[in-house]
Amino acid sequence: MTAGTGHRPQHPPLWRDIRVLHALAQIVAAAAVAVVVAVLWWNLTNNLRRAGLTTDFSFLTQPLGVDIAGSGAGPGTPIWRGLLVGVKNTFALVVVGVPLLTILGVVIGVGRLSTNWLVARMCAFYVEMFRNLPPLLIIFSFFNAVVLRLPLLEDSWNPMGLAVVNNRFIAVTGFSAQPGFGVYWLIIGATLLAAVWLWVWRTRRWERTGSPHHRLAWSGGILGAVTVIAFLVLDGPVALSIPVLEGRVLEGGFRGLGSYFAVLVALVLYTASHVAEIVRGSILAVPRGQTEAANALALSPWQRLRYVILPQAMRIAIPPTISQFLNFTKNTSLAIAVGYAEITRIVFQTIGNAQPAPQLVAVLMLAYLVFSLTISAVVNILNRRLRYVTT
Amino acid sequence: MKRDRLTALIAVTALTIAACTTAAGDTTTTGGPGATGPVGGGGSVLAAVMDRGSINCGVNNAVPGFGFVDADGNHVGFDIDFCHALAAAVFGDPDAVEFIDLTAEQRFTALQSGEIDVLIRNTTWTSSRDGTLGATFLTTTFYDGQGMMVRSDSGFTSIDDMADTTICVLSGTTTELNLATRMTGIGYTPSTFDDNGQIQAAFLEGACDGWTSDKSQLAGVRSAWPEDDGGPEALTILDETFSKEPLGPAVRDGDAQWAQIVDWVVIATIQAEEFGITQDNVNGFADTENNDIRRFLGLEITDAEGNTSVFDAGLGLPADFAAEVVAAVGNYAEIYDRNVGPDTPLGLERGVNALWTNGGLHYPPPHR
């Protein structure tokens, strides 16, 4: 390959050829990684075998043995289904928590830049307090000092008859399915897609021609109309479900265990403080000239924020905010401290009940990896949509 | 491409964990991998213990009477005394023990990885723990059973009354398995924590109606219930016992010698009770004519012609290990009465934990 001393005498010998050296370095590095991996793998299997422990995943079909609160999983449920309940419970924290912490974080972050002294001070206080406490401490405090101090089951609060609050669970009014429920949601789903398409179409038209878009009226109108008409045609496919406590039994409503709310509120408060700082930093990172330009165009403060500052700040804020979403997801494992049955809790519980730890920990890592990669993927799609388009 | 990287990432992380486990395991091996030691453990635990000069004993620190840290920071309790007994047998020094506090969920990993030499932490002997956790269970030290504790003013008199209640239980225990079995067909919500302190907080605030655990543990918790919250009288342990909980020491699979040592130390305490040998009189048997007792205490045995010999069971322990054990912690009855017996705050009668001669289950195999 590097022969040819005849017509290219300036070519260096092999051991000084930078390309050969680069390739060699790559090979050496790859070999080193392979050796390390092989040694670790040998270590793992050898030690497990010597300790008389299993290395396969057949245990996943064994019975779980325990009941999981707030789910149908019981002694006869296979372990893999129990693990899925854990994943579902983690998801229940993430899917509610992430939107809440985003809204709270943005409000606090913008509030901290407010020209109103009191608002700015209060937001700063909030951030400094929650950002500087360990999340486990917040969860513990919230569970022991707030959730457990709620009224006893017998003395449950029943605000306006629409909710039941005690130190075991919080139930709120929800919906219950009636005949025709499935069809109804299909119709709503299709209408929602149509509404989004209408919105986009009206927006594009407005950008192109400048004629008023009225996109809220179009989209909202069609969604509202179809919702009401379908409801009437299908003769009430959903009904309000009001939670009622009969003795110790709760009928109706959506129920969340006290431990769920403790973890949710504590982690939302904690993570929002970080998001608030990201938001504040991103707004400050928008060049001052942009504000001055908006002022020169006589935009109102709201218009300035909505059309000039926030769109640019958002681009800066999204990547670090993804990290906070991932942190939130991973921090949900702290729920173990207050006994909420998310995936870490279920995995540790299962290990405690005589199932193999290495495999279960591998399953746990896989679960968090899937969670994190999914969140990253979703937000990255959003990020790509919001990037500066250079033409 | 992306998936390859992902797979590699998972593999590396899993292996790192495995490697850490190995590192911990190596602390108990003397010959390294492939040494001539027994299969499984990687080396002789006894040799490692002798080298180190102390025994790593995995214990509880939150159950009064069994494994508890007292106001002076010392470990005390029924299980703790068996750790001392083991140290007395191996070293002749009951204090050559390192106590390692473990939660229910940590205990078997600690045993598998070699962090501890023996687990004496109110641990129930079950088939799946024997079969899949690489643990060997030894002579039962305490025959227990699961019960339910409720507030005295709750009006519950049997578990069947407790439909639709919330019940607090420690996670990763046989207790929660038994609870699920017992409550089949009775609706209930389990509230699982991995720490007795957190259960106590929830129970104090009325967030659960019942607290289920081994009856001995419930008695321990009840005995220490804060006076501000009504003291022990505020709590009632229901009569029903709904499980068998043989509690005893466990060691890693694969080292038969170490297992036998732990086994025979436990048996020695029971045998001493049967012989009537106590901490106070153990040194007074030098002239006894009873050769069973002479063998047990490692005293010289003289035949008709005046030849003497000393019995050694070949366990790898000094011939007089039983004497050391009894001198250090007393016989089984003394250990029991001191920690959990009728005169302690727990106030547990002997019941099935009596000697076989008194209608109980403790039946020591002969020492010969």
Side-chain angles (χ1 to χ4, degrees):
Chain A
M1 211 165 96
T2 52
T5 45
H7 57 280
R8 287 168 70 187
Q10 78 282 11
H11 204 78
L14 261 185
W15 60 91
R16 284 177 52 205
D17 186 329
I18 191 73
R19 287 171 305 170
V20 174
L21 289 180
H22 274 164
L24 262 182
Q26 298 273 340
I27 292 168
V28 168
V33 170
V35 166
V36 168
V37 168
V39 165
L40 290 174
W41 179 254
W42 179 85
N43 231 339
L44 173 74
T45 51
N46 208 42
N47 278 291
L48 285 177
R49 207 185 59 241
R50 280 198 313 180
L53 301 176
T54 58
T55 49
D56 62 6
F57 284 84
S58 56
F59 70 90
L60 286 174
T61 53
Q62 291 276 304
L64 182 66
V66 299
D67 289 294
I68 301 175
S71 81
T77 310
I79 286 173
W80 65 270
R81 275 191 171 277
L83 295 173
L84 281 186
V85 170
V87 169
K88 202 191 90 192
N89 284 344
T90 299
F91 184 71
L93 280 173
V94 174
V95 81
V96 177
V98 164
L100 282 182
L101 77 89
T102 312
I103 295 168
L104 186 62
V106 170
V107 168
I108 300 283
V110 172
R112 204 173 165 185
L113 293 171
S114 165
T115 46
N116 182 320
W117 185 86
L118 186 62
V119 170
R121 285 299 99 192
M122 273 167 55
C123 291
F125 176 74
Y126 171 92
V127 167
E128 292 310 330
M129 182 164 98
F130 283 105
R131 200 168 59 134
N132 293 308
L133 289 174
L136 182 62
L137 184 71
I138 307 178
I139 294 175
F140 259 133
S141 318
F142 200 76
F143 184 71
N144 285 316
V146 179
V147 171
L148 284 182
R149 301 298 167 110
L150 290 171
L152 292 173
L153 185 70
E154 304 87 71
D155 318 323
S156 291
W157 283 341
N158 199 354
M160 292 180 290
L162 293 176
V164 174
V165 178
N166 57 56
N167 66 1
R168 298 181 188 188
F169 57 80
I170 296 173
V172 294
T173 300
F175 297 96
S176 65
Q178 305 291 327
F181 180 72
V183 181
Y184 185 62
W185 279 113
L186 276 181
I187 294 173
I188 300 276
T191 316
L192 202 61
L193 284 179
V196 169
W197 181 82
L198 266 176
W199 181 283
V200 172
W201 172 62
R202 294 303 301 177
T203 310
R204 297 238 168 102
R205 191 169 166 276
W206 165 63
E207 284 167 349
R208 212 172 48 245
T209 65
S211 67
H213 51 70
H214 298 305
R215 51 190 179 192
L216 191 63
W218 279 73
S219 297
I222 194 143
L223 194 59
V226 171
T227 307
V228 171
I229 292 168
F231 185 87
L232 294 175
V233 169
L234 289 169
D235 196 20
V238 295
L240 269 190
S241 166
I242 296 173
V244 180
L245 201 57
E246 305 267 7
R248 293 191 295 265
V249 187
L250 181 82
E251 306 278 0
F254 285 145
R255 188 176 92 144
L257 292 171
S259 52
Y260 171 78
F261 287 101
V263 178
L264 181 73
V265 173
L267 284 183
V268 162
L269 291 179
Y270 172 76
T271 317
S273 68
H274 288 263
V275 171
E277 280 302 89
I278 293 172
V279 168
R280 183 174 77 109
S282 305
I283 290 176
L284 291 177
V286 175
R288 191 162 174 71
Q290 297 286 324
T291 316
E292 290 166 353
N295 286 339
L297 289 173
L299 297 183
S300 73
W302 165 248
Q303 286 174 321
R304 194 176 65 210
L305 195 65
R306 166 69 184 80
Y307 295 107
V308 179
I309 307 297
L310 278 186
Q312 297 184 68
M314 236 161 92
R315 294 190 176 94
I316 305 168
I318 282 178
T321 308
I322 297 179
S323 302
Q324 293 306 325
F325 292 168
L326 301 188
N327 276 345
F328 179 89
T329 309
K330 290 181 287 181
N331 282 342
T332 56
S333 61
L334 295 172
I336 198 166
V338 293
Y340 177 65
E342 42 70 63
I343 181 68
T344 309
R345 144 108 286 149
I346 306 271
V347 162
F348 283 10
Q349 194 171 17
T350 313
I351 291 173
N353 289 325
Q355 301 302 335
Q359 291 95 310
L360 275 163
V361 171
V363 169
L364 182 61
M365 290 195 291
L366 186 70
Y368 280 109
L369 202 60
V370 169
F371 265 116
S372 291
L373 292 179
T374 310
I375 292 173
S376 293
V378 169
V379 188
N380 271 326
I381 291 170
L382 186 70
N383 197 15
R384 212 165 300 139
R385 296 264 311 149
L386 291 174
R387 256 197 322 229
Y388 281 110
V389 182
T390 46
T391 45
Chain B
M1 173 67 182
K2 209 158 200 174
R3 187 159 14 134
D4 289 350
R5 239 186 297 157
L6 210 146
T7 319
L9 181 68
I10 296 169
V12 168
T13 331
L15 290 166
T16 314
I17 288 177
C20 298
T21 317
T22 314
D26 280 346
T27 56
T28 58
T29 59
T30 47
T36 51
V39 194
S44 159
V45 177
L46 180 62
V49 164
M50 296 302 283
D51 254 11
R52 197 189 309 129
S54 70
I55 295 169
N56 289 334
C57 205
V59 297
N60 205 330
N61 61 358
V63 176
F66 284 85
F68 194 68
V69 177
D70 68 11
D72 302 325
N74 298 315
H75 284 80
V76 291
F78 183 84
D79 286 342
I80 305 297
D81 279 353
F82 282 98
C83 293
H84 285 306
L86 194 55
V90 174
F91 297 108
D93 172 11
D95 293 323
V97 191
E98 287 291 333
F99 293 109
I100 297 177
D101 299 332
L102 298 169
T103 67
E105 288 168 343
Q106 292 166 341
R107 54 188 161 178
F108 288 107
T109 318
L111 185 66
Q112 290 159 0
S113 65
E115 189 186 347
I116 56 174
D117 303 313
V118 58
L119 176 70
I120 312 185
R121 190 201 172 282
N122 37 33
T123 300
T124 307
W125 180 4
T126 71
S127 59
S128 61
R129 287 174 173 179
D130 239 340
T132 62
L133 289 179
T136 299
F137 284 86
L138 304 167
T139 303
T140 299
T141 53
F142 194 92
Y143 292 96
D144 211 336
Q146 188 171 340
M148 179 77 74
M149 183 161 70
V150 296
R151 271 177 292 277
S152 302
D153 58 11
S154 67
F156 296 120
T157 54
S158 94
I159 294 168
D160 292 312
D161 290 349
M162 300 185 72
D164 308 311
T165 51
T166 300
I167 294 168
C168 277
V169 60
L170 207 57
S171 115
T173 59
T174 51
T175 314
E176 63 176 340
L177 302 170
N178 298 326
L179 177 69
T181 308
R182 177 63 182 86
M183 299 303 278
T184 305
I186 308 173
Y188 80 109
T189 306
S191 193
T192 43
F193 299 96
D194 58 356
D195 169 43
N196 267 337
Q198 197 57 48
I199 293 186
Q200 179 150 345
F203 196 70
L204 265 176
E205 297 293 346
C208 40
D209 302 292
W211 180 346
T212 185
S213 188
D214 295 350
K215 278 191 161 176
S216 61
Q217 286 200 36
L218 292 179
V221 170
R222 182 176 178 271
S223 71
W225 199 249
E227 282 302 327
D228 293 347
D229 296 299
E233 298 309 311
L235 304 176
T236 303
I237 299 173
L238 301 181
D239 285 335
E240 182 177 338
T241 302
F242 56 94
S243 78
K244 291 184 288 185
E245 308 287 340
L247 310 180
V251 297
R252 258 187 311 291
D253 276 348
D255 190 337
Q257 184 195 31
W258 181 244
Q260 285 159 6
I261 287 172
V262 177
D263 229 353
W264 282 94
V265 167
V266 173
I267 293 166
T269 63
I270 303 169
Q271 185 65 64
E273 182 185 359
E274 195 179 328
F275 282 145
I277 304 171
T278 66
Q279 200 166 9
D280 291 335
N281 70 13
V282 63
N283 292 323
F285 286 88
D287 301 323
T288 179
E289 300 286 309
N290 184 336
N291 278 348
D292 281 341
I293 292 181
R294 294 193 75 85
R295 263 199 316 279
F296 179 67
L297 293 177
L299 298 170
E300 280 182 342
I301 300 168
T302 314
D303 69 1
E305 296 170 8
N307 301 315
T308 62
S309 60
V310 173
F311 175 77
D312 184 345
L315 294 166
L317 289 173
D320 65 342
F321 80 92
E324 293 284 357
V325 166
V326 179
V329 296
N331 66 30
Y332 184 87
E334 291 174 285
I335 297 172
Y336 190 99
D337 290 340
R338 182 166 63 235
N339 293 298
V340 299
D343 296 333
T344 64
L346 272 73
L348 300 175
E349 297 296 334
R350 282 293 285 274
V352 291
N353 285 299
L355 280 183
W356 62 290
T357 47
N358 298 332
L361 293 172
H362 287 299
Y363 181 96
H367 194 74
R368 59 162 61 246

